[in-house]
Amino acid sequence: MKAIETRDLEYVYLTRGGNEPARALNNISFSVSEGEFVAVVGRNGSGKSTLAKHLNALLLPTNGTVCIFGKYTHAEDLIWDIRRQVGMVFQNPDNQLVATTVEEDVAFGPENLGVPPAEIRKRVDESLKKVNMFKFVHHSPHVLSGGQKQRVAIAGVLAMNPKCLVLDEATSMLDPTGRRDVMGIIQKLNKEDRITVVLITHHMDEAARADRVIVIDSGNIVLEGRPREVFANTGILKKAGLDIPQVSSFYINAVNEGIIDKGEIPVLIDEMEEILSRLKFANNVRPELTGNQKDKVEENREKIIEIKNLSFVYMPNTPYEKQALDDVSLDVYKGEILGIIGQTGSGKSTLIQHLNGLLTPSGGSIKVSGIIPKGKALKELRRKVGLIFQNPEDQLFEETVAKDIAFGLKKMGLPETEIERRVLEAAEITGLQKDVLDRSPFELSGGQKRRVAIAGVIAMNPEILVLDEPTAGLDPAGSTDIYQFLLRLRKEKNTTIIIVSHTMEHIANYCDRVAVMDHGKLVLTGKTREVFSNREFLSDIGLDVPQITELFYRLNKKYPFVRNDILTVEEGIEELKRVLKK
């Protein structure tokens, strides 16, 4: 039986003012079989979320049809039944949690469906057990980590006994452990309970686990098939603003270099490991490492941030007291790009909020660009330090995108001509089209909102730019654009950049040094290559390494002469050439 079937689906929405129609979906026709796991991928604004909202009749087609388990969404008397069968899980779990305890939150849906109390109790317990959250049944949702909140959101949907689960970027805000846990639960629900899954994601390693992948670009389906079939079409994917898993990219490069024979493209790390295990490694001498230019963090550079024995306690002297930072000492050098990694709740965001005086230390000291963040010095400090938060909605409030970007510039008292120039420049740098500038920022996709938030800060030309998950919710091409901009900003203006991220590939590719946080403590600091060489230590505190690093770590376990500190696909290819050379 078909769980989902769309025919010639079109959707046109009205932009700001209600008189500017824009086509979001164009002749979308596809089907999903009952029990199938389908991933939908595409760049920001391609129509993925719009499509998702059609699957449980949150939106209705302008033209064409959507049929869910034999029921058409345009039939008003069937909408209630459709929404009982299709559960939606959104990007930010906080938007779906409504009650004061976990069990009340999970019970909310079945209560509204009129399910008897005894059955509700049973469903709540069963749903929480399925997502491994039963022990938190009496906890308040707001004290949970991001991954735990998302699991509760999924449990709340499962308690309504849906036949289909639609997840719209449900893992994009989570740390590696949270992502891994949620993906494990999704796969288990699909395989064991035969729940149909539609996963919208920018993470290609997640799409690789689906039965089928659908690629959307500009409201059109441009590619469809099994993951390995889709990932083989790198040209189409690149044009659609997407990439492929590192192991797939590594394989394609190795084939093109003539290092390995062409076969079926691997999409999972285990598959690539199996291919490499069949090769005969000849060169069994481990080379002396010289590193590359990115590894060289010059000594005796100017310290622009000095943090000494910093501690911070939320809600001190109350029953809710929480030590968020504990004796953190860290120096940041002018012009470097520093990555900060750690699980959700490790203290990363708390730490960076001290850098422009949003938080005041409970103990220890901090000096930024020679300024101690307190009193009248805060105004000058905030001109020097630009801070971009994890949720772009937190920073957007103006009527139009242009006004939002210009807000800080007006507060600085700049002339109108200079404000206009900087707004256009910031929009161009962050990839915002001119026609977006007159739209409300709240009409935009999550990725576009993030670009607006970044544009509003970089337009002020800060000495230090601090970004909390700058590419969460951005498509791969958008993420690359943002990081390329940051590199250019550092090169042209010697801007110091601090990046908090859960995406280890980005940290490995772009950061000079990495600081690792765990339970409020700074547990490891060093050059990027040194930090990611500590794979077992990172794993113990719930962190991943880049996929290519994990691959060569596994190879090193079997063949000690293979380097275990590979950070990029290009480095991996060179190392593979070396160990195969006779």
Side-chain angles (χ1 to χ4, degrees):
M1 179 181 179
K2 293 285 191 293
I4 298 168
E5 187 171 17
T6 72
R7 291 187 180 180
D8 303 320
L9 170 60
E10 294 184 4
Y11 184 72
V12 177
Y13 64 88
L14 295 179
T15 58
R16 183 173 171 266
N19 55 7
E20 301 171 30
R23 188 176 298 276
L25 297 175
N26 185 46
N27 291 323
I28 297 288
S29 295
F30 74 98
S31 63
V32 178
S33 299
E34 193 166 359
E36 191 177 13
F37 180 1
V38 173
V40 180
V41 299
R43 72 172 85 233
N44 295 120
S46 62
K48 304 184 306 298
S49 294
T50 302
L51 175 62
K53 290 172 184 174
H54 277 82
L55 301 185
N56 74 341
L58 287 175
L59 294 176
L60 298 178
T62 305
N63 288 302
T65 60
V66 176
C67 185
I68 308 296
F69 294 102
K71 301 178 178 69
Y72 287 91
T73 59
H74 61 258
E76 291 186 11
D77 58 327
L78 298 178
I79 285 180
W80 185 251
D81 289 333
I82 289 170
R83 289 177 179 165
R84 291 173 67 131
Q85 293 181 313
V86 180
M88 294 280 293
V89 182
F90 296 100
Q91 185 175 22
N92 190 342
D94 289 319
N95 295 339
Q96 286 186 261
L97 303 179
V98 296
T100 55
T101 68
V102 166
E103 66 175 348
E104 290 173 352
D105 209 291
V106 177
F108 182 80
E111 283 176 347
N112 280 276
L113 293 176
V115 175
E119 176 65 14
I120 291 176
R121 177 75 270 165
K122 179 184 175 184
R123 290 193 189 186
V124 168
D125 292 350
E126 288 179 352
S127 298
L128 287 172
K129 287 175 182 176
K130 284 180 180 178
V131 299
N132 300 320
M133 288 296 290
F134 184 71
K135 62 183 178 181
F136 295 95
V137 65
H138 298 302
H139 283 58
S140 174
H142 84 272
V143 303
L144 303 177
S145 70
Q148 290 170 331
K149 287 179 180 178
Q150 196 62 285
R151 281 190 267 170
V152 172
I154 293 172
V157 172
L158 292 179
M160 294 186 284
N161 283 350
K163 296 170 69 175
C164 177
L165 201 57
V166 179
L167 303 105
D168 189 1
E169 294 285 356
T171 65
S172 66
M173 310 294 280
L174 305 183
D175 59 35
T177 299
R179 276 187 60 207
R180 193 162 49 243
D181 288 349
V182 169
M183 281 304 299
I185 289 162
I186 292 169
Q187 288 182 278
K188 184 178 179 181
L189 292 170
N190 174 246
K191 300 302 181 188
E192 296 182 6
D193 296 347
R194 301 300 297 162
I195 292 178
T196 306
V197 174
V198 177
L199 175 69
I200 293 172
T201 182
H202 287 139
H203 294 287
M204 294 301 143
D205 58 328
E206 293 179 357
R209 299 181 182 279
D211 300 318
R212 193 156 49 96
V213 178
I214 296 173
V215 182
I216 293 184
D217 190 29
S218 300
N220 296 284
I221 293 178
V222 295
L223 200 57
E224 183 177 357
R226 292 187 305 147
R228 65 184 78 258
E229 295 168 346
V230 169
F231 294 156
N233 289 275
T234 53
I236 295 175
L237 292 173
K238 186 176 181 180
K239 188 176 179 182
L242 301 173
D243 61 8
I244 58 178
Q246 277 194 324
V247 291
S248 302
S249 178
F250 177 72
Y251 171 83
I252 290 172
N253 277 271
V255 169
N256 291 340
E257 292 276 352
I259 302 172
I260 58 179
D261 296 330
K262 186 175 182 180
E264 202 168 44
I265 185 171
V267 298
L268 302 175
I269 192 168
D270 293 344
E271 297 172 351
M272 189 67 236
E273 185 181 8
E274 170 63 23
I275 291 172
L276 293 181
S277 71
R278 298 196 292 266
L279 300 178
K280 293 182 179 180
F281 294 164
N283 190 347
N284 62 359
V285 178
R286 186 179 173 96
E288 290 294 325
L289 301 182
T290 58
N292 58 25
Q293 192 62 36
K294 187 175 64 175
D295 292 326
K296 298 175 182 177
V297 179
E298 297 175 17
E299 303 297 332
N300 304 317
R301 284 199 296 176
E302 177 187 348
K303 293 178 183 177
I304 195 167
I305 298 174
E306 297 178 76
I307 301 171
K308 295 181 179 178
N309 309 115
L310 181 66
S311 296
F312 184 78
V313 179
Y314 284 107
M315 303 180 74
N317 304 316
T318 74
Y320 303 102
E321 178 177 307
K322 179 184 177 183
Q323 180 100 28
L325 295 177
D326 185 6
D327 197 29
V328 173
S329 295
L330 176 68
D331 293 328
V332 182
Y333 300 95
K334 187 171 180 62
E336 80 167 332
I337 300 180
L338 174 73
I340 301 178
I341 62 177
Q343 278 193 297
T344 302
S346 62
K348 306 183 302 296
S349 295
T350 301
L351 175 62
I352 63 173
Q353 287 180 58
H354 282 79
L355 300 182
N356 71 344
L358 288 178
L359 295 177
T360 302
S362 302
S365 64
I366 182 169
K367 186 183 289 185
V368 181
S369 195
I371 300 171
I372 297 174
K374 63 179 181 179
K376 294 182 179 180
L378 287 175
K379 185 174 182 180
E380 178 63 21
L381 176 69
R382 289 169 182 164
R383 285 176 177 260
K384 293 177 178 289
V385 181
L387 179 57
I388 298 169
F389 295 103
Q390 184 171 4
N391 296 320
E393 291 85 352
D394 294 343
Q395 288 179 260
L396 306 179
F397 54 88
E398 277 283 12
E399 293 179 349
T400 68
V401 169
K403 287 182 179 179
D404 216 298
I405 298 173
F407 182 80
L409 302 175
K410 289 182 178 179
K411 291 295 181 182
M412 292 169 65
L414 297 177
E416 282 298 322
T417 53
E418 176 64 9
I419 290 174
E420 184 177 353
R421 185 190 72 79
R422 290 205 196 183
V423 167
L424 291 174
E425 180 184 55
E428 182 180 358
I429 287 170
T430 53
L432 291 167
Q433 301 296 321
K434 282 189 177 181
D435 60 352
V436 170
L437 295 178
D438 291 328
R439 291 175 59 184
S440 166
F442 303 105
E443 291 178 356
L444 307 180
S445 70
Q448 289 171 318
K449 287 177 183 177
R450 185 164 300 278
R451 292 171 191 260
V452 175
I454 294 174
V457 172
I458 65 172
M460 299 171 68
N461 291 334
E463 288 182 19
I464 302 168
L465 189 58
V466 185
L467 305 102
D468 193 355
E469 293 291 346
T471 59
L474 281 183
D475 56 57
S479 297
T480 299
D481 288 346
I482 292 297
Y483 278 107
Q484 289 300 321
F485 156 69
L486 294 177
L487 291 176
R488 192 163 70 249
L489 195 65
R490 191 260 292 270
K491 181 179 179 180
E492 295 175 359
K493 300 185 179 181
N494 202 30
T495 305
T496 304
I497 299 168
I498 298 174
I499 299 167
V500 174
S501 180
H502 289 139
T503 307
M504 299 303 149
E505 287 79 7
H506 292 161
I507 295 292
N509 275 327
Y510 300 108
C511 293
D512 303 306
R513 287 193 305 140
V514 179
V516 184
M517 299 288 296
D518 184 42
H519 291 93
K521 292 180 177 290
L522 184 62
V523 294
L524 183 62
T525 310
K527 297 175 184 178
T528 304
R529 192 178 303 281
E530 294 170 351
V531 169
F532 283 123
S533 294
N534 286 273
R535 183 266 189 193
E536 291 179 0
F537 175 79
L538 295 174
S539 180
D540 288 343
I541 61 174
L543 296 177
D544 285 339
V545 295
Q547 199 179 52
I548 195 72
T549 306
E550 172 66 20
L551 178 64
F552 276 83
Y553 170 84
R554 294 185 187 185
L555 281 178
N556 174 262
K557 286 292 185 183
K558 297 178 182 177
Y559 313 104
F561 53 87
V562 175
R563 285 176 54 187
N564 64 349
D565 62 348
I566 300 298
L567 296 180
T568 66
V569 168
E570 291 74 21
E571 288 182 1
I573 292 295
E574 291 306 310
E575 178 63 3
L576 192 58
K577 286 180 181 178
R578 185 190 72 80
V579 296
L580 292 174
K581 187 176 181 180
K582 295 182 181 180

